[in-house]
Amino acid sequence: MDVSEKNFQQLQTQLQYLEAHSPYYQRIFCEHEISIDKISSETFSKIPITQKEDLQNFNEDFICVPKSEIIDYVTTSGTLGKPVTFALNDHDLERLAENEKRSFECAGVTKNDTVQITTTLDRRFMAGLAYFLGLRKLGAGLIRVGSGAPELQWDSIERFRPTYLVAVPSFLLKLAAYAKNNNIDIEKSSVKAAICIGEPLRDNDFNLNVLGEKIKNVWNIELFSTYASTEMSTAFTECEQHHGGHVLEDLIYPEIVDEDGNPAKPGEVGELVVTTLGVQTMPLLRYATGDMLRFFSEPCVCGRNSSRLGPVLGRKKQMIKLKGTTIYPQQIIDVLANFEEIGHYLITVFTDSLETDAVEIKISDRISMEIQQALKEKLRSKLRVLPKITLLPNEEIIRLKFPETSRKPAVFMDMRN
């Protein structure tokens, strides 16, 4: 992904801000003898990449404003390790609102719509707050229901008649199941679309994955995929064409890099590296997200000229080499999603006696032999290799899946190293 002159001007402004205000990047520029004035669009990619471990180990050194200016503190979810603290001042909250306003607009939301937020605004998460700020700036109506509580969700749908939901995709299935069990005619609801967060909705060809298809089969609403993170303070949201998340180019500069940190070729899978633009409190320069995906630079059919990011295929650190074949946990999850009978499961990867990757899928010992065989055949078909399948009591899988130290249920555990 090349640096355009417009982008480079914004990158230069960000570099000058970091040189003046960031203890962490001041140290990096000094250690690597980086002269900001000599950075060009061709040499920008030579600046060292910032890793998540840097944020964890030197967290306060990334803060660029006096503590008296900080208004809001959030933390990351800690998917691959210890949660990281992030701080925002008034300017950053306004930027966050602008990002979400434009993201909602990309998905077709207008001030005439009412949006029901089914995600939490508390527990130090950024997402729920971001949606609230964005919808408020857009002028749309909003309903702050929060997470869970299908009965309250449906009471709110029937009472306030929202046109959009903001929801984790799998929660839409729970809402549909509640409606069926309580004689609610789901097709007569006011909801016409859902902004889906937190879980993959599409495959590498932009088609709905198994989870997306399941939702459409029980609730015929339009599904918009969006990709974001606390560190980026920016979202990549689908338009009505559903062909990748549009880049808000004045708010973030993305790069796709190969295993050596060099720019990936167009169409190649690589790691997303981002530079946040316009962030004042904790701006990031060439931050490695750990997410593996492709980028698309050709104009979208919708008429927007911004580049787009494809669906996240997996996490760089979660990449598995199983019997010579590269796979990601999400590919296994997509296969398991085909089998409702399986219910709870846990995927683990570890290093075997030959110092190579090994994968184990833990499922309930109540699963029939027919389903077990069908699962093995599906895994071979989709992955071209067969992970080990272990049968355990359902209660044991539930215990492993919901560790007390995590804010999210675990479906994948990396036991390597």
Side-chain angles (χ1 to χ4, degrees):
M1 193 176 291
D2 297 328
V3 184
S4 69
E5 287 306 314
K6 179 182 177 182
N7 284 141
F8 184 62
Q9 193 172 18
Q10 293 173 310
L11 287 170
Q12 278 186 314
T13 300
Q14 194 67 47
L15 287 170
Q16 291 165 0
Y17 181 84
L18 291 169
E19 186 179 48
H21 300 285
S22 173
Y24 178 80
Y25 287 111
Q26 287 170 352
R27 185 166 68 247
I28 293 298
F29 295 156
C30 180
E31 290 176 357
H32 294 269
E33 299 181 346
I34 296 173
S35 176
I36 298 304
D37 295 336
K38 294 182 180 179
I39 294 293
S40 67
S41 56
E42 288 76 25
T43 60
F44 175 76
S45 61
K46 302 300 180 183
I47 296 175
I49 289 177
T50 303
Q51 303 291 341
K52 188 151 192 169
E53 291 77 11
D54 299 321
L55 267 177
Q56 291 172 326
N57 296 331
F58 308 103
N59 192 254
E60 292 190 2
D61 289 349
F62 283 87
I63 297 177
C64 299
V65 302
K67 187 174 182 179
S68 59
E69 289 189 19
I70 296 174
I71 292 177
D72 193 62
Y73 289 96
V74 297
T75 55
T76 62
S77 60
T79 304
L80 293 179
K82 183 180 178 182
V84 173
T85 298
F86 246 79
L88 301 90
N89 67 0
D90 186 67
H91 172 88
D92 296 335
L93 289 171
E94 175 60 30
R95 178 192 174 281
L96 188 63
E98 176 64 19
N99 161 78
E100 291 300 333
K101 170 183 176 289
R102 287 156 61 182
S103 293
F104 280 118
E105 288 176 332
C106 192
V109 181
T110 72
K111 67 181 300 181
N112 296 318
D113 286 298
T114 301
V115 183
Q116 184 161 315
I117 304 175
T118 73
T119 57
T120 181
L121 272 74
D122 56 7
R123 300 186 184 181
R124 305 191 315 222
F125 281 127
M126 177 185 280
L129 173 65
Y131 305 139
F132 171 80
L133 293 174
L135 290 168
R136 185 171 181 268
K137 188 175 181 67
L138 177 59
L142 61 95
I143 310 160
R144 296 177 292 107
V145 181
S147 60
E151 181 179 4
L152 182 59
Q153 301 289 351
W154 275 109
D155 177 76
S156 299
I157 291 171
E158 295 174 338
R159 185 185 298 264
F160 304 113
R161 301 192 60 76
T163 45
Y164 284 78
L165 300 178
V166 176
V168 174
S170 56
F171 185 61
L172 294 174
L173 291 176
K174 292 183 179 179
L175 288 181
Y178 182 91
K180 182 179 179 180
N181 294 334
N182 290 273
N183 299 315
I184 297 172
D185 191 341
I186 196 169
E187 296 302 333
K188 290 185 178 180
S189 78
S190 58
V191 179
K192 65 179 184 181
I195 312 292
C196 296
I197 64 168
E199 293 174 341
L201 195 63
R202 301 190 185 278
D203 61 23
N204 197 36
D205 297 320
F206 300 108
N207 298 313
L208 289 173
N209 58 18
V210 174
L211 177 58
E213 289 287 358
K214 283 186 175 182
I215 296 169
K216 291 289 286 186
N217 287 337
V218 296
W219 200 352
N220 190 28
I221 56 177
E222 191 167 6
L223 303 175
F224 290 91
S225 181
T226 184
Y227 163 60
S229 74
T230 299
E231 297 94 325
M232 295 190 295
S233 296
T234 314
F236 304 88
T237 303
E238 288 182 339
C239 65
E240 69 275 10
Q241 298 298 320
H242 306 291
H243 208 266
H246 282 271
V247 178
L248 302 178
E249 294 178 342
D250 59 328
L251 298 182
I252 197 163
Y253 177 71
E255 304 170 75
I256 307 295
V257 303
D258 61 21
E259 291 184 9
D260 298 318
N262 299 315
K265 296 177 182 178
E268 283 189 352
V269 175
E271 181 180 13
L272 176 64
V273 171
V274 298
T275 298
T276 53
L277 304 174
V279 173
Q280 289 186 353
T281 306
M282 295 183 72
L284 297 177
L285 174 61
R286 304 203 73 220
Y287 175 73
T289 65
D291 292 325
M292 305 296 288
L293 40 76
R294 295 183 174 93
F295 78 90
F296 301 85
S297 57
E298 67 276 7
C300 182
V301 177
C302 74
R304 295 176 177 86
N305 293 319
S306 56
S307 54
R308 287 161 289 119
L309 299 183
V312 175
L313 304 180
R315 303 281 293 181
K316 182 179 180 180
K317 290 185 177 180
Q318 292 179 342
M319 185 178 74
I320 302 165
K321 276 285 189 180
L322 183 60
K323 301 175 183 177
T325 300
T326 299
I327 59 175
Y328 292 96
Q330 187 59 46
Q331 293 173 277
I332 304 174
I333 293 170
D334 286 344
V335 172
L336 290 164
N338 285 277
F339 299 90
E340 294 183 2
E341 302 88 345
I342 289 178
H344 294 293
Y345 60 83
L346 183 66
I347 304 163
T348 58
V349 58
F350 54 95
T351 304
D352 63 18
S353 59
L354 299 177
E355 296 296 313
T356 60
D357 290 347
V359 179
E360 182 180 24
I361 304 173
K362 297 180 173 70
I363 61 174
S364 172
D365 54 11
R366 302 173 188 171
I367 303 300
S368 68
M369 290 296 294
E370 290 78 11
I371 296 299
Q372 292 179 42
Q373 187 58 38
L375 173 61
K376 291 178 181 178
E377 292 174 1
K378 194 77 170 179
L379 288 167
R380 287 194 186 96
S381 171
K382 294 295 184 179
L383 307 181
R384 301 193 302 278
V385 289
L386 179 62
K388 179 183 178 183
I389 297 176
T390 300
L391 304 178
L392 291 174
N394 200 53
E395 296 74 14
E396 177 66 10
I397 296 174
I398 293 174
R399 185 186 68 80
L400 294 171
K401 186 177 178 178
F402 294 92
E404 294 181 0
T405 56
S406 177
R407 297 194 297 190
K408 292 182 178 180
V411 295
F412 172 76
M413 290 185 178
D414 194 337
M415 313 298 290
R416 294 172 292 189
N417 300 322

